[in-house]
Amino acid sequence: MERNPMRRQLAIMRQSLFDQGHVDEQFVQLEELQDDANPNFVEEVVTLYYRDSARIILNIEQALERKPFDFRKLDAYMHQFKGSSSSIGAKKVKAESTLFREYCKSGNGEGCMRSFQQLKKEYATLRKKLGTYFQLARQAGPVETASRPK
Amino acid sequence: MTVEQIVSEGKDQFPIGMRVLAVDDDPTCLLLLGTLLRRCQYHVTTTSQAKTALKMLRENKNKFDLVISDVHMPDMDGFKLLEHVGLEMDLPVIMLSANGDTKLVMKGITHGACDYLLKPVRIEELQNIWQHVVRRKKKDRCNSGSKDKPHPDSGEAAGIGNVDNNGKLNKKRKDQNEDEDDERDENGHDNEDPSAQKKPRVVWSVELHRKFVAAVNQLGIDKAVPKKILELMNVEKLTRENVASHLQKFRLYLKRISCVANQQANMAAALGTADSAYLRMGSLNGLGNFHTLAGSDQLHNAAFRSFPPSGVLGRLNTPAGLGIRGLPSPGTIQLGHVQNSGNPTNDLSKLQSFVPGNHNTNILQGMPMSLELDRLQHNKNVGHIGELPTTDSMTVFPGSGNLVDARITGFSNNQLLGVTSNSLMLEGSSQQATSHTSVSAIGFQNGNALSDFTSIAPASNQLQDSKAGSQGQASPINCNAGQIIRSAPQEWNAPRKDAPYQSHASINSSIPINGAMIQLGQCLDRNNSIFHRTTDLDSVGPLNFVDPLSIKHSEGDNSIMEPSVIEKEGYLMFQPRPHGSHVPDNIGSLEDLASAMMKQEGGCNGYSLRTSI
């Protein structure tokens, strides 16, 4: 049992990510891929995700500025976005993407816009939370490091 | 080591170390996939570009055991990549997508995917993908020629089951296998891979494929059984199993082509401008390889007799050999030979001859078409063939726009795809046309060849029928194709370096051809009568490809490909358009043909392009 307060805090934070539905099982898969050879794998993937998906978000935003909406294109962008989001286990973001796509399929422009706003919010929230989480993880150090029992 | 031994021992620690190529344009997914695969202890290579993936695969066919690819990619559709890999390299391909629609999954299966995984991928799913490699090996080994396509998706459990069954099956056919194994060893590349049961793969070079197509045509697609095909082909060290599995693929290809053909036809019509259109072909890197082939005269020699190597080759290279497709500039059509003879029947031969010279050796497997294509392409970059934007199905075109030239010849390398596709085409149409000449059509261009082939093939077949005369000629061509194919493999490699043809740009024009081709394919059936009509291009009409004939390229080599023949094949390549450069009188005829054809066919839109030319 980790007595290190930082590690404990980290564990709590991690648990809340799951409990609040920000991340799902896929996130665990990422964690499992992290090992000595890849000590910061999860952070790397998430960083890459945010960097790459920013581009797609921008594309969607631009597409939403052009009326009438090109639903096919929007759907295609979102499909791509959803793919990467699901790869990192971003649960809420993924759910919102699905909703957005539904609106696209039914040609509901208003729905798309609303859903996209919500998606961006979730996307930003997750980024903040994960940022904090990784920061703490780095500070807490590798698991192997023994923490002096207090 | 007998099959059983291999299976049970799993030499080299297979599946550990299995070489996987992962393709996904999304960097996050690619990183994740790569890491997951490495965790499964596979040897992983990742790339975000489908084209790069194809290039890597073509460089060394034995470098990978399995390919995993995303479906939605910007530079190339995942299904197209899948087809290419399946036809050219015969590697198992697993599709990956965030979209699990039944339709999409079905599409994956029909295109030959071994499996279809949904993103996000779990490691458990990846831990069992090695079964597809094993299964494929077994399939090849135990292929009895008349087998149906093995279901790649039998499931994980099946994988194990297969092993057991295979063992038994192997026992039964042990003797047979042993002999075949020997043959295979000499035949294909020796795989030192750790995968169990890896047997040397037979490389379906353009020449070989051409022979194959010729044989199938001769027998008639319905009656084409591996045993007979094998006999007709008369290739050493080729086993019935090899032929059987190839036949299977070919049939699939033909089926696919026929579906696409219609679309293509429309596209072809739209393309009108051969020049640019075909670039698709250009994009297809695969074709590029063919270009290289162009460099090797050897290839052609066998098949393309009269092909004026220097002149033709040069041309072929650029237009990507496929000339047939959309040879925008008749001049480019390296076919040169084609022009010579106005005889429709000869076209094929011309093509044949044509190809050899250029590099098309691959392509033409015997299909004169390719020759034409080359010619056409000549100017444009035959690459166009690849251009056919319209269809994915066009996948046939290896994408190497320029390939046209190369493509044709390129078959050996990557072209397998093209070649096979063509052959498939031919097969389909071959029903009617026993003459091999149709095959030649397939031979087309390396890159484009594939797509072209398909369309051409059918057309060619038809032509053949119609052309009683050509029949005779067809045969010679076919033979050549076969030869070419054989020799192609090595030669193609050489040409690659040249990459002169790399002018994929021209390929654009080829695209229209493709469209045309497809139409041709379709039209061919109908047009059979048309072909009969005249030796010149007119009959070919749809074939427009035939233009190559007019293309002036070969000035005088009638022997090789008769323009008419080419025309037939023409669908594929030709862009009969009279660019004004070479296309001497033929072009005009092509146009006429096109219009004539169109009238007759009504449906062959492709030719409308021609007229626009």
Side-chain angles (χ1 to χ4, degrees):
Chain A
M1 168 64 111
E2 222 26 273
R3 304 246 210 111
N4 182 331
M6 253 196 228
R7 290 240 138 241
R8 244 203 315 259
Q9 192 182 352
L10 194 67
I12 292 171
M13 197 184 285
R14 179 183 173 277
Q15 192 55 44
S16 89
L17 283 173
F18 283 97
D19 293 342
Q20 289 173 12
H22 289 293
V23 297
D24 58 23
E25 177 59 30
Q26 181 62 20
F27 192 78
V28 179
Q29 293 267 318
L30 293 186
E31 288 177 323
E32 281 175 1
L33 285 175
Q34 191 157 292
D35 55 14
D36 291 348
N38 261 328
N40 300 308
F41 180 68
V42 186
E43 185 177 0
E44 275 169 26
V45 178
V46 172
T47 305
L48 182 59
Y49 162 74
Y50 272 100
R51 196 170 51 220
D52 185 61
S53 58
R55 182 179 46 88
I56 307 178
I57 294 274
L58 188 62
N59 286 340
I60 298 178
E61 248 164 12
Q62 286 171 348
L64 284 175
E65 278 162 20
R66 293 186 222 111
K67 307 276 198 317
F69 288 159
D70 182 349
F71 288 112
R72 239 154 50 101
K73 205 177 213 180
L74 285 170
D75 186 66
Y77 282 139
M78 192 49 78
H79 170 88
Q80 208 182 338
F81 180 78
K82 183 180 169 190
S84 10
S85 305
S86 66
S87 293
I88 69 155
K91 194 171 178 182
K92 285 194 181 176
V93 173
K94 178 177 163 186
E96 209 57 50
S97 317
T98 306
L99 192 59
F100 182 92
R101 291 191 74 201
E102 292 297 319
Y103 284 131
C104 280
K105 290 199 181 80
S106 57
N108 185 340
E110 269 303 305
C112 282
M113 299 206 22
R114 264 181 299 130
S115 152
F116 187 62
Q117 293 309 315
Q118 185 62 25
L119 182 144
K120 278 197 288 185
K121 257 209 294 240
E122 299 290 351
Y123 178 78
T125 305
L126 180 65
R127 179 192 228 143
K128 253 203 317 258
K129 285 190 184 270
L130 286 177
T132 311
Y133 177 75
F134 291 133
Q135 207 176 3
L136 186 60
R138 281 186 179 275
Q139 286 171 11
V143 183
E144 289 79 17
T145 314
S147 53
R148 273 195 310 273
K150 294 265 191 278
Chain B
M1 192 184 265
T2 65
V3 173
E4 298 141 63
Q5 278 175 307
I6 293 173
V7 174
S8 54
E9 287 172 24
K11 61 179 171 178
D12 294 33
Q13 295 186 302
F14 181 82
I16 290 175
M18 184 174 80
R19 299 156 310 165
V20 183
L21 175 63
V23 191
D24 193 336
D25 65 308
D26 185 322
T28 312
C29 297
L30 191 63
L31 174 60
L32 178 62
L33 183 63
T35 312
L36 282 168
L37 289 167
R38 282 191 189 98
R39 186 51 74 88
C40 296
Q41 293 184 288
Y42 300 139
H43 183 268
V44 188
T45 306
T46 59
T47 174
S48 61
Q49 300 271 323
K51 299 207 175 94
T52 310
L54 261 181
K55 194 150 81 78
M56 283 197 271
L57 287 164
R58 284 177 179 145
E59 267 167 16
N60 183 351
K61 296 224 163 141
N62 289 325
K63 211 162 149 212
F64 301 103
D65 299 307
L66 180 77
V67 179
I68 297 186
S69 166
D70 184 31
V71 168
H72 297 279
M73 290 189 287
D75 65 334
M76 186 191 291
D77 184 34
F79 293 118
K80 201 174 310 191
L81 173 66
L82 163 61
E83 273 195 17
H84 280 298
V85 175
L87 282 170
E88 292 179 33
M89 294 116 207
D90 188 28
L91 284 177
V93 181
I94 294 178
M95 301 307 293
L96 204 59
S97 177
N99 190 339
D101 270 356
T102 307
K103 276 201 310 265
L104 224 51
V105 177
M106 179 63 79
K107 192 173 177 194
I109 294 173
T110 54
H111 280 73
C114 293
D115 206 346
Y116 195 104
L117 301 178
L118 290 188
K119 287 190 197 173
V121 186
R122 290 193 325 276
I123 198 163
E124 296 83 15
E125 292 173 335
L126 294 176
Q127 270 163 348
N128 284 321
I129 57 175
W130 57 267
Q131 62 173 287
H132 299 298
V133 178
V134 173
R135 200 178 289 128
R136 193 165 278 234
K137 287 196 178 13
K138 278 189 178 298
K139 179 190 30 127
D140 288 347
R141 218 173 243 295
C142 307
N143 198 338
S144 53
S146 56
K147 67 191 315 210
D148 305 311
K149 190 152 183 124
H151 341 277
D153 316 332
S154 359
E156 303 172 331
I160 313 293
N162 282 355
V163 174
D164 295 340
N165 291 338
N166 285 334
K168 295 198 190 99
L169 190 54
N170 290 332
K171 251 184 266 220
K172 265 194 291 184
R173 311 150 127 268
K174 199 198 299 196
D175 296 342
Q176 192 178 357
N177 282 349
E178 277 169 358
D179 293 343
E180 286 158 359
D181 288 348
D182 293 343
E183 289 173 344
R184 281 214 192 96
D185 287 339
E186 298 164 58
N187 224 349
H189 311 291
D190 269 292
N191 291 329
E192 326 259 313
D193 295 342
S195 2
Q197 306 189 327
K198 194 132 187 180
K199 55 182 198 316
R201 189 166 287 157
V202 171
V203 174
W204 282 92
S205 62
V206 170
E207 197 180 318
L208 201 61
H209 183 70
R210 206 194 325 221
K211 270 193 140 176
F212 172 80
V213 178
V216 173
N217 288 338
Q218 196 173 322
L219 294 168
I221 188 72
D222 295 333
K223 299 219 198 66
V225 285
K227 187 150 186 280
K228 293 210 185 114
I229 296 173
L230 188 62
E231 284 166 14
L232 274 175
M233 283 175 72
N234 194 20
V235 172
E236 279 183 17
K237 304 184 237 155
L238 190 67
T239 70
R240 198 168 51 91
E241 279 68 11
N242 299 142
V243 175
S245 64
H246 195 71
L247 179 65
Q248 204 169 45
K249 280 188 269 188
F250 189 69
R251 285 213 181 103
L252 249 153
Y253 180 76
L254 284 175
K255 211 182 337 176
R256 254 207 307 278
I257 297 302
S258 61
C259 296
V260 183
N262 292 319
Q263 298 172 12
Q264 293 300 343
N266 295 332
M267 293 276 315
L271 288 177
T273 53
D275 302 332
S276 52
Y278 300 129
L279 284 182
R280 242 242 311 209
M281 303 274 293
S283 56
L284 294 173
N285 293 329
L287 292 176
N289 293 326
F290 291 112
H291 295 299
T292 50
L293 289 177
S296 51
D297 280 329
Q298 311 171 4
L299 293 175
H300 317 302
N301 294 338
F304 308 105
R305 322 173 275 206
S306 46
F307 191 70
S310 51
V312 177
L313 286 173
R315 280 193 283 219
L316 287 175
N317 291 328
T318 46
L322 296 181
I324 302 204
R325 297 244 208 171
L327 300 176
S329 45
T332 53
I333 306 210
Q334 317 232 351
L335 298 181
H337 314 297
V338 177
Q339 305 205 344
N340 304 322
S341 46
N343 319 325
T345 58
N346 294 327
D347 293 338
L348 285 177
S349 48
K350 287 221 178 112
L351 288 173
Q352 306 245 340
S353 53
F354 175 70
V355 172
N358 296 321
H359 37 253
N360 298 322
T361 52
N362 308 333
I363 312 179
L364 296 185
Q365 299 213 336
M367 309 205 314
M369 307 260 326
S370 49
L371 290 174
E372 295 190 329
L373 290 173
D374 287 336
R375 294 199 293 191
L376 294 170
Q377 300 284 353
H378 181 60
N379 302 331
K380 292 309 195 112
N381 300 325
V382 213
H384 297 299
I385 305 210
E387 293 294 356
L388 285 178
T390 56
T391 57
D392 286 344
S393 42
M394 290 301 282
T395 58
V396 175
F397 307 112
S400 45
N402 295 329
L403 296 184
V404 174
D405 291 336
R407 285 191 281 219
I408 309 201
T409 48
F411 283 116
S412 55
N413 298 323
N414 346 333
Q415 303 298 346
L416 271 185
L417 195 63
V419 171
T420 40
S421 51
N422 293 329
S423 25
L424 292 174
M425 299 256 331
L426 290 177
E427 299 260 77
S429 52
S430 55
Q431 299 169 16
Q432 307 173 17
T434 49
S435 49
H436 312 292
T437 48
S438 49
V439 176
S440 48
I442 302 194
F444 46 69
Q445 345 154 3
N446 312 324
N448 302 324
L450 287 177
S451 33
D452 291 330
F453 280 89
T454 38
S455 52
I456 302 191
S460 46
N461 288 327
Q462 315 230 337
L463 293 175
Q464 315 226 340
D465 289 333
S466 53
K467 304 193 304 185
S470 51
Q471 298 274 341
Q473 305 183 337
S475 341
I477 300 184
N478 294 321
C479 300
N480 292 329
Q483 296 164 3
I484 296 191
I485 297 181
R486 268 200 280 227
S487 50
Q490 302 103 20
E491 303 175 39
W492 289 329
N493 292 318
R496 269 202 288 222
K497 300 188 239 159
D498 302 339
Y501 45 81
Q502 296 287 353
S503 50
H504 298 283
S506 53
I507 307 233
N508 298 325
S509 44
S510 51
I511 302 195
I513 301 219
N514 289 330
M517 297 205 327
I518 304 211
Q519 289 191 335
L520 286 176
Q522 300 169 345
C523 297
L524 288 174
D525 295 318
R526 292 175 287 179
N527 293 329
N528 281 336
S529 56
I530 298 186
F531 296 123
H532 287 287
R533 292 193 297 175
T534 49
T535 54
D536 46 64
L537 304 173
D538 292 314
S539 51
V540 174
L543 291 181
N544 293 329
F545 309 122
V546 187
D547 262 329
L549 296 180
S550 50
I551 307 210
K552 330 174 55 92
H553 23 268
S554 34
E555 335 22 70
D557 293 351
N558 298 328
S559 57
I560 306 191
M561 308 223 315
E562 306 205 59
S564 52
V565 167
I566 302 188
E567 293 184 315
K568 298 204 224 163
E569 316 272 20
Y571 281 111
L572 294 176
M573 311 205 281
F574 61 109
Q575 272 288 338
R577 307 179 332 166
H579 291 283
S581 43
H582 343 274
V583 191
D585 39 289
N586 294 341
I587 302 288
S589 52
L590 280 173
E591 304 260 345
D592 294 343
L593 272 166
S595 22
M597 295 290 304
M598 299 186 58
K599 284 199 226 128
Q600 301 199 9
E601 294 300 68
C604 301
N605 306 327
Y607 306 105
S608 54
L609 294 178
R610 306 237 329 203
T611 48
S612 61
I613 303 175

